Amino acid sequence: MHRRFVLAALGLAAAFPALAQEAAAPPEPAPALAHVRLQTSEGDILLALEKDRAPVTTANFLRYVDQKRLDGTSFYRATRVAPGFGLIQGGARNDPRRALPPIAHEPTSKTGLTHADGTISMARAAPGSATGDFFITVGAMPTMDADPSQPGDNLGFAAFGRVEQGMDVVHRILDAPVSPTEGEGAMRGQMLASPVKIITARRVD
């Protein structure tokens, strides 16, 4: 009797892994990423862009890269909220010779992305006005995410990737001297005294 019980228990133990394997759902594939390297006068920044989760915004940025519209532009703004916390902004700076038509806004409530440390996101005025200017966060900034519970323009900014390598470069740009007089409105005192050149922007996939 005891021997039959042991054999039955062993049989069940052998069967359970197979049953569990059959019942388990296959793992979801990781979201597709596009990698872009920004070669700047302060060093390289490697970006991982969310092709699956933010397809409109990523495709727009890649158009600027593929058409070399970011070559020779700069990081021109550094907003320091606190030591080691803020954002840097760069890109076409609304130059009509470089800017492509504005794109539809992809809020974080749709993409599932957030403005974590090292997030790349599109600069904009009204929703749907983003063209070729972007920013990179230093430190988590959840206030830049969409928040439908808030009144007014609650769509936040369109996050579409992250810095994979080169946050040391981002920090150096954030800490660079700013002009006390340049810039309009909220950007006054946030413009870099010596903009950091974006020499090239290239896909590396």
Side-chain angles (χ1 to χ4, degrees):
M1 178 70 73
H2 177 70
R3 183 172 179 274
R4 285 201 300 272
F5 175 80
V6 171
L7 289 174
L10 288 172
L12 286 171
F16 275 134
L19 290 171
Q21 189 173 12
E22 289 177 7
E28 292 186 6
L33 300 175
H35 289 86
V36 169
R37 187 179 303 279
L38 303 180
Q39 181 189 6
T40 83
S41 54
E42 284 291 328
D44 289 0
I45 301 171
L46 180 64
L47 304 170
L49 309 182
E50 297 275 0
K51 292 196 298 185
D52 282 353
R53 294 195 283 184
V56 173
T57 314
T58 295
N60 175 69
F61 191 84
L62 292 176
R63 278 193 293 271
Y64 279 86
V65 170
D66 293 341
Q67 296 177 25
K68 300 182 180 179
R69 290 174 181 264
L70 295 178
D71 291 10
T73 62
S74 65
F75 284 101
Y76 53 83
R77 180 186 179 196
T79 304
R80 288 190 289 271
V81 180
F85 181 71
L87 63 84
I88 63 172
Q89 183 170 321
R93 206 169 181 177
N94 297 316
D95 183 343
R97 298 168 299 174
R98 295 180 182 272
L100 294 169
I103 58 170
H105 183 61
E106 284 184 310
T108 55
S109 54
K110 176 182 178 181
T111 63
L113 302 173
T114 61
H115 286 84
D117 183 34
T119 295
I120 181 169
S121 190
M122 292 304 297
R124 70 168 177 89
S129 65
T131 56
D133 289 80
F134 60 92
F135 62 90
I136 297 172
T137 59
V138 180
M141 293 190 172
T143 55
M144 292 192 168
D145 296 341
D147 186 355
S149 68
Q150 296 300 313
D153 180 357
N154 55 25
L155 294 178
F157 294 87
F160 65 103
R162 66 184 185 277
V163 174
E164 200 164 85
Q165 296 174 13
M167 278 302 290
D168 57 328
V169 177
V170 174
H171 277 269
R172 283 201 297 275
I173 298 172
L174 182 67
D175 292 338
V178 295
S179 166
T181 57
E182 289 187 21
E184 298 179 2
M187 294 196 296
R188 186 178 179 86
Q190 298 180 5
M191 311 307 283
L192 291 175
S194 297
V196 173
K197 189 174 182 180
I198 298 174
I199 301 166
T200 61
R202 296 287 184 273
R203 294 198 201 213
V204 295
D205 290 337

